[in-house]
Protein backbone atom coordinates (compact mmCIF):
# COMPACT_ATOMS: atom_id res chain seq x y z
CA UNK A 1 0.00 0.00 0.00
CA UNK A 2 1.27 3.47 -0.86
CA UNK A 3 0.25 6.52 1.14
CA UNK A 4 -0.66 9.69 -0.72
CA UNK A 5 1.06 12.88 0.33
CA UNK A 6 0.84 16.46 -0.81
CA UNK A 7 4.58 17.04 -0.58
CA UNK A 8 7.72 15.04 -1.26
CA UNK A 9 8.72 12.91 1.71
CA UNK A 10 12.40 12.55 2.60
CA UNK A 11 13.53 10.13 5.30
CA UNK A 12 16.72 10.43 7.32
CA UNK A 13 17.89 7.34 9.26
CA UNK A 14 20.59 8.00 11.87
CA UNK A 15 22.93 5.18 12.90
CA UNK A 16 26.37 4.77 14.38
CA UNK A 17 28.81 1.88 14.38
CA UNK A 18 27.53 -1.21 16.11
CA UNK A 19 25.06 -4.00 15.69
CA UNK A 20 21.84 -1.95 15.64
CA UNK A 21 22.24 -0.18 12.31
CA UNK A 22 20.87 -2.84 9.97
CA UNK A 23 17.38 -2.99 11.46
CA UNK A 24 17.06 0.79 11.69
CA UNK A 25 18.04 1.16 8.04
CA UNK A 26 15.63 -1.58 6.99
CA UNK A 27 12.86 0.13 8.94
CA UNK A 28 13.62 3.44 7.25
CA UNK A 29 13.65 1.75 3.84
CA UNK A 30 10.26 0.17 4.51
CA UNK A 31 8.79 3.55 5.44
CA UNK A 32 10.41 5.17 2.41
CA UNK A 33 8.80 2.57 0.14
CA UNK A 34 5.36 3.17 1.65
CA UNK A 35 5.65 6.92 1.28
CA UNK A 36 7.43 6.94 -2.06
CA UNK A 37 10.17 8.88 -0.28
CA UNK A 38 13.89 9.31 -0.77
CA UNK A 39 16.12 7.73 1.88
CA UNK A 40 19.31 9.10 3.42
CA UNK A 41 21.44 7.06 5.83
CA UNK A 42 23.47 9.22 8.20
CA UNK A 43 26.35 7.43 9.93
CA UNK A 44 27.52 9.44 12.93
CA UNK A 45 31.19 8.80 13.70
CA UNK A 46 32.64 10.00 17.00
CA UNK A 47 34.87 6.98 17.69
CA UNK A 48 38.69 7.13 17.77
CA UNK A 49 39.98 5.98 14.38
CA UNK A 50 42.99 4.12 15.79
CA UNK A 51 40.87 2.08 18.23
CA UNK A 52 37.82 1.22 16.14
CA UNK A 53 39.14 1.12 12.56
CA UNK A 54 38.39 -2.59 12.07
CA UNK A 55 34.85 -2.28 13.46
CA UNK A 56 34.22 0.71 11.21
CA UNK A 57 35.49 -1.11 8.13
CA UNK A 58 33.06 -3.99 8.69
CA UNK A 59 30.09 -1.78 9.52
CA UNK A 60 30.64 0.63 6.63
CA UNK A 61 30.77 -2.28 4.19
CA UNK A 62 27.39 -3.41 5.50
CA UNK A 63 25.95 0.11 5.38
CA UNK A 64 27.13 0.52 1.76
CA UNK A 65 25.46 -2.77 0.83
CA UNK A 66 22.19 -1.64 2.39
CA UNK A 67 22.41 1.78 0.73
CA UNK A 68 22.83 0.11 -2.67
CA UNK A 69 19.99 -2.33 -1.95
CA UNK A 70 17.57 0.41 -0.93
CA UNK A 71 18.86 3.04 -3.40
CA UNK A 72 19.68 5.32 -0.49
CA UNK A 73 22.18 8.13 -0.09
CA UNK A 74 24.89 7.16 2.43
CA UNK A 75 26.56 9.98 4.39
CA UNK A 76 29.36 9.69 6.95
CA UNK A 77 29.77 12.59 9.38
CA UNK A 78 32.75 12.72 11.74
CA UNK A 79 32.20 14.87 14.83
CA UNK A 80 32.31 14.93 18.62
CA UNK A 81 29.56 13.13 20.51
CA UNK A 82 28.20 16.34 22.04
CA UNK A 83 27.49 17.66 18.53
CA UNK A 84 25.19 14.80 17.52
CA UNK A 85 21.97 16.85 17.53
CA UNK A 86 23.68 19.60 15.54
CA UNK A 87 24.90 17.10 12.94
CA UNK A 88 21.48 15.43 12.63
CA UNK A 89 19.66 18.76 12.41
CA UNK A 90 22.02 20.16 9.77
CA UNK A 91 21.77 17.02 7.65
CA UNK A 92 17.97 16.95 8.05
CA UNK A 93 17.79 20.53 6.75
CA UNK A 94 20.18 19.75 3.91
CA UNK A 95 18.10 16.81 2.62
CA UNK A 96 14.79 18.51 3.49
CA UNK A 97 13.88 15.58 5.76
CA UNK A 98 10.24 15.12 6.69
CA UNK A 99 10.94 12.05 8.85
CA UNK A 100 13.91 11.38 11.16
CA UNK A 101 14.54 7.89 12.57
CA UNK A 102 16.84 7.13 15.51
CA UNK A 103 17.12 4.13 17.83
CA UNK A 104 16.23 4.12 21.52
CA UNK A 105 19.58 2.43 22.16
CA UNK A 106 21.43 5.38 20.62
CA UNK A 107 19.25 7.87 22.48
CA UNK A 108 20.03 6.21 25.82
CA UNK A 109 23.80 6.15 25.15
CA UNK A 110 24.01 9.80 24.20
CA UNK A 111 21.72 10.79 27.07
CA UNK A 112 24.24 9.29 29.48
CA UNK A 113 27.15 11.03 27.75
CA UNK A 114 25.71 14.52 27.39
CA UNK A 115 23.32 14.47 30.34
CA UNK A 116 20.29 15.27 28.25
CA UNK A 117 17.85 13.89 25.72
CA UNK A 118 18.49 13.86 22.00
CA UNK A 119 14.75 13.54 21.48
CA UNK A 120 13.96 16.80 23.27
CA UNK A 121 16.72 18.65 21.43
CA UNK A 122 15.69 17.34 18.02
CA UNK A 123 12.04 18.17 18.63
CA UNK A 124 13.14 21.73 19.38
CA UNK A 125 15.76 22.12 16.63
CA UNK A 126 14.04 20.17 13.86
CA UNK A 127 10.30 20.91 14.19
CA UNK A 128 9.94 20.54 10.41
CA UNK A 129 10.31 16.73 10.61
CA UNK A 130 8.47 13.93 12.39
CA UNK A 131 10.77 12.10 14.83
CA UNK A 132 10.63 8.31 15.16
CA UNK A 133 12.42 6.65 18.09
CA UNK A 134 12.58 2.90 17.47
CA UNK A 135 12.40 0.79 20.67
CA UNK A 136 15.55 -1.11 21.60
CA UNK A 137 14.06 -4.55 20.98
CA UNK A 138 12.99 -3.55 17.45
CA UNK A 139 16.28 -1.93 16.44
CA UNK A 140 18.95 -4.39 17.60
CA UNK A 141 19.95 -7.52 15.72
CA UNK A 142 20.79 -9.35 18.93
CA UNK A 143 20.17 -8.75 22.61
CA UNK A 144 23.89 -8.51 23.32
CA UNK A 145 27.03 -8.06 21.25
CA UNK A 146 29.24 -10.61 22.96
CA UNK A 147 32.43 -10.02 21.03
CA UNK A 148 35.65 -8.10 21.59
CA UNK A 149 36.73 -5.25 19.35
CA UNK A 150 37.69 -6.48 15.87
CA UNK A 151 41.31 -7.14 14.91
CA UNK A 152 42.95 -7.61 11.52
CA UNK A 153 43.43 -11.30 10.73
CA UNK A 154 43.92 -13.89 7.99
CA UNK A 155 42.65 -17.37 7.14
CA UNK A 156 45.31 -19.73 5.76
CA UNK A 157 44.55 -23.03 4.03
CA UNK A 158 45.88 -25.86 6.20
CA UNK A 159 46.05 -28.26 3.25
CA UNK A 160 43.28 -30.48 4.58
CA UNK A 161 40.23 -28.51 3.52
CA UNK A 162 40.11 -26.27 6.60
CA UNK A 163 41.62 -22.87 7.41
CA UNK A 164 43.76 -21.62 10.29
CA UNK A 165 43.35 -18.17 11.84
CA UNK A 166 46.52 -16.04 11.84
CA UNK A 167 47.24 -12.47 12.83
CA UNK A 168 50.37 -12.07 10.70
CA UNK A 169 50.41 -11.65 6.94
CA UNK A 170 51.91 -15.01 6.01
CA UNK A 171 52.94 -16.18 2.58
CA UNK A 172 50.11 -18.13 1.02
CA UNK A 173 47.39 -16.48 3.11
CA UNK A 174 44.00 -17.13 1.56
CA UNK A 175 41.54 -14.64 3.08
CA UNK A 176 42.05 -11.29 4.78
CA UNK A 177 39.45 -9.81 7.13
CA UNK A 178 38.45 -8.84 10.67
CA UNK A 179 38.24 -11.28 13.59
CA UNK A 180 35.79 -10.67 16.44
CA UNK A 181 36.65 -12.86 19.42
CA UNK A 182 33.81 -14.13 21.57
CA UNK A 183 33.94 -12.73 25.11
CA UNK A 184 33.02 -16.04 26.72
CA UNK A 185 36.12 -17.98 25.63
CA UNK A 186 39.86 -18.12 26.28
CA UNK A 187 40.39 -19.52 22.78
CA UNK A 188 40.36 -17.80 19.39
CA UNK A 189 36.70 -18.52 18.78
CA UNK A 190 34.27 -16.02 17.30
CA UNK A 191 33.43 -14.48 13.92
CA UNK A 192 35.68 -13.77 10.93
CA UNK A 193 34.26 -11.07 8.66
CA UNK A 194 35.56 -10.29 5.19
CA UNK A 195 34.45 -8.58 2.02
CA UNK A 196 34.26 -10.32 -1.35
CA UNK A 197 33.00 -8.66 -4.50
CA UNK A 198 31.69 -5.78 -2.39
CA UNK A 199 29.68 -8.05 -0.07
CA UNK A 200 30.17 -8.56 3.65
CA UNK A 201 30.54 -12.24 4.54
CA UNK A 202 30.96 -13.93 7.93
CA UNK A 203 32.19 -17.37 9.01
CA UNK A 204 32.41 -19.02 12.41
CA UNK A 205 35.82 -19.59 13.97
CA UNK A 206 36.24 -22.38 16.53
CA UNK A 207 39.51 -22.50 18.47
CA UNK A 208 41.47 -20.76 15.72
CA UNK A 209 40.10 -22.84 12.87
CA UNK A 210 37.40 -22.51 10.20
CA UNK A 211 36.21 -25.87 8.93
CA UNK A 212 33.93 -24.76 6.10
CA UNK A 213 34.22 -21.89 3.61
CA UNK A 214 31.73 -23.31 1.12
CA UNK A 215 29.45 -20.27 1.23
CA UNK A 216 32.36 -17.89 0.61
CA UNK A 217 33.95 -19.99 -2.14
CA UNK A 218 30.62 -20.09 -3.97
CA UNK A 219 30.17 -16.31 -3.90
Amino acid sequence: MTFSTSQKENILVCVNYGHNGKKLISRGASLAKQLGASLTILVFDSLPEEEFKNDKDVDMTLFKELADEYEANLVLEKSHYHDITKVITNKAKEVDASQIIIGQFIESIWAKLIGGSIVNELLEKAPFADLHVVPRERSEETEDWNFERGVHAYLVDDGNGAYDLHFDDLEGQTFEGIFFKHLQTDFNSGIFALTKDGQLLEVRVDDGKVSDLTDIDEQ
Side-chain angles (χ1 to χ4, degrees), residues 148-195:
E148 295 181 2
R149 191 173 302 162
V151 296
H152 210 87
Y154 304 88
L155 294 181
V156 179
D157 193 335
D158 69 356
N160 296 309
Y163 297 81
D164 294 322
L165 180 71
H166 289 272
F167 299 100
D168 297 318
D169 187 2
L170 304 176
E171 183 178 351
Q173 62 90 4
T174 307
F175 294 104
E176 180 178 0
I178 308 298
F179 174 62
F180 297 90
K181 182 179 178 181
H182 201 286
L183 291 172
Q184 308 303 323
T185 179
D186 293 328
F187 304 98
N188 283 327
S189 297
I191 295 173
F192 183 87
L194 71 156
T195 57

Side-chain angles (χ1 to χ4, degrees), residues 18 35 38 80 92 105 130 144 179 202 210 217:
L35 297 174
S38 64
H80 298 293
F105 178 70
D130 293 336
D144 297 292
F179 174 62
E202 296 180 353
V210 174
D217 290 332

Side-chain angles (χ1 to χ4, degrees), residues 99-119:
Q99 314 274 338
I100 299 173
I101 299 176
I102 66 172
Q104 182 185 33
F105 178 70
I106 304 303
E107 150 71 5
S108 63
I109 286 180
W110 293 117
K112 291 178 182 178
L113 291 174
I114 65 178
S117 170
I118 291 179
V119 171

Side-chain angles (χ1 to χ4, degrees), residues 1-18:
M1 179 175 65
T2 301
F3 295 104
S4 61
T5 179
S6 59
Q7 63 180 36
K8 174 65 176 177
E9 294 277 355
N10 300 296
I11 296 174
L12 177 66
V13 179
C14 307
V15 300
N16 68 347
Y17 300 109

Side-chain angles (χ1 to χ4, degrees), residues 186-207:
D186 293 328
F187 304 98
N188 283 327
S189 297
I191 295 173
F192 183 87
L194 71 156
T195 57
K196 185 177 182 182
D197 299 328
Q199 290 187 312
L200 178 65
L201 306 173
E202 296 180 353
V203 293
R204 181 185 178 88
V205 181
D206 291 309
D207 196 10

